[in-house]
Each structure stands twice: as C-alpha cells, then as structure tokens.
Amino acid sequence: MKARVITSDESKLIGFRIAGIKGEKITNKESFIEFFKNCNDDSIALIIITSELYDKYTHVIEEFRNEHEKPLIVRI
C-alpha cells in the first residue's frame, strides 16, 4: 500500500519525499481536482493533505469521499 501527500508548501513536500512518501505540489483548483481523478489506484491507501488545501477544497474532498471508500484521507 502506498501513501501520497499533497501540499501547497514546497518544504513540506520535500520533507515527505525524504521520508519516502511521494507527493505533489498543488497550485490551483484544477491540479487539485486532477490529483483526485488520478487516485483510483487501489494501491494508494492514504492521502495526506495539508490544512491549507483541505480548508480551501473541502467540497472536492467531500465529493470524493462520498464516491469512494478508499483511500483514507488525513488532514495535517
């Protein structure tokens, strides 16, 4: 099982990459939505989202949660 992190902060992204967790830097709503469209991979067990992005795109996250059982989404 894999974990992915999405953040708008480059330093957080680097920290997670050092720990071996792949991720993406999100700069706009389109890239945020695209990330979730590409998360249909059953091998992804955990998505870690920073608070800034979670607060900004709560409606997109809730829509994804309503349509998918997995992966677990964690706000940091």
Side-chain angles (χ1 to χ4, degrees):
M1 294 300 204
K2 300 177 190 175
R4 295 283 185 264
V5 64
I6 52 175
T7 181
S8 58
D9 182 1
E10 187 73 28
S11 62
K12 288 179 185 169
L13 182 60
I14 291 170
F16 277 99
R17 286 184 177 165
I18 290 170
I21 299 173
K22 294 181 181 180
E24 290 186 33
K25 183 176 177 186
I26 302 294
T27 56
N28 57 47
K29 184 176 181 177
E30 290 77 25
S31 60
F32 190 84
I33 292 170
E34 189 65 29
F35 176 86
F36 276 97
K37 283 184 181 178
N38 294 326
C39 276
N40 292 331
D41 182 359
D42 285 338
S43 67
I44 298 175
L46 176 66
I47 298 174
I48 304 165
I49 304 175
T50 55
S51 292
E52 301 87 22
L53 289 177
Y54 193 96
D55 292 340
K56 195 171 185 180
Y57 302 116
T58 302
H59 62 283
V60 176
I61 297 165
E62 292 304 319
E63 184 177 308
F64 182 83
R65 281 183 168 165
N66 289 335
E67 295 174 5
H68 300 88
E69 252 181 52
K70 299 178 192 173
L72 176 65
I73 299 173
V74 177
R75 176 184 178 177
I76 59 165

